[in-house]
Amino acid sequence: MNPVFFIALGLFGVYTIEFGVVGILPAIIERYTISTSQAGMLVGVFAIVIAFFGPFMVLLLSKVNRKKVLIACLFIFAGSSLLSAYAPNFYVLLILRMIPALFHPVYFSLAFVTAISLYSKEKATQASAKAFVGTSMGMVLGIPVTAYIQHQFSFEAAFIFCTLVNIAAGVGIAIVLPKPPKASKGSNGKQLGILRKAPLWINIGAATFIFAAMFSVYSYSAEYLEQVMGMSGKAVSVMLVLFGVGGVAGNLLAGRLIGINRVRTTVFQPIVLATSYFFLYLGEMSIAPIILIMILWGAVHTSGLIITQIWITSEAPEAPEFATGLYISFINLGVFIGSAAGGLFIDLLGMKGTLWSGLLFIVLALVCIVIKIFIFKQKT
């Protein structure tokens, strides 16, 4: 079996750990007798730990054998999930969330470097796209999957599901990864040297704003579909699944488009994202148009993953692991900023305010992209 399958399965596992907890927040609130805002810390703290510690963890472990690090990360994810299932109180659960957050950027960075190393240079982008299927599936399906398992079985079962997924990925990588990839030979000084690149920071700014735009809206997607689009809870679940289907297709398509022209694809993504927000702004409509809108939204939202990753790492080919560590840290910062801004705009402007927040960050992202193209002469 292709090793990229198990690499992607591990990405699905870790992103289900990060976002799947949203699907069982009501059960967590009831189990530990806490407020909704306290429960929300389980997502916010995870993202903040990644944002602040991600690059340093990647730098620390980038010289260790990749295969061993990948397997170790997956078993750390599995262990923390298993312990989370039986956490005696909320604060223990919060601490157990911080452990996988520390190793999340390490697995993410090395997973993509490893996946690309298994293909020729011409097919590197397609390799990233295949691995990103696991990421997109975890981000868009992790919430409904964990919610379904918790409702059908138990609170513990939702965490045990994450445990089993990560164990399966770890065992698969141990068996089918052809040979241990060589550790990075670059010095820490060389890797840190990429931080002196002004174009890299422009790219980081664009990626951070794109994710802020994405999660200004997606963080409140269920409430928006209910309140503005007039859907029932069951219909919302179906629409989020369609969002995920569109996301997988969009991710694979983006991988091909980037290979043809990276700059045009990067410019195109936030513009189409803004278009999907315009259609959502129109509000309640018949079933056929909303299905098409959800697929479009899912496709353009999820394609932002691979597009922003390539946009950043292409600027620092001499330090791919560290550049990817920076990427995962700043997009999580974008998730945090976007979610907070979306909530603020809702308080000020009502439910549709979340779309205005998303559009604001899209404009900021496009400003960064235009600066990169015309001032720093970004190549295709």
Side-chain angles (χ1 to χ4, degrees), residues 259-274:
I260 297 171
N261 191 301
R262 184 168 61 239
V263 172
R264 287 180 187 171
T265 306
T266 305
V267 173
F268 190 62
Q269 192 271 338
I271 292 173
V272 180
L273 184 64

Side-chain angles (χ1 to χ4, degrees), residues 85-141:
Y86 303 99
N89 59 64
F90 173 74
Y91 295 102
V92 171
L93 181 61
L94 191 63
I95 291 170
L96 288 170
R97 293 275 294 167
M98 295 178 187
I99 296 171
L102 283 171
F103 291 90
H104 174 297
V106 176
Y107 181 82
F108 185 95
S109 300
L110 298 186
F112 282 97
V113 173
T114 302
I116 290 170
S117 72
L118 297 172
Y119 288 78
S120 64
K121 186 177 180 180
E122 294 74 23
K123 295 184 177 180
T125 301
Q126 292 182 34
S128 291
K130 289 178 180 178
F132 254 119
V133 169
T135 301
S136 58
M137 293 288 280
M139 291 185 76
V140 300
L141 296 181

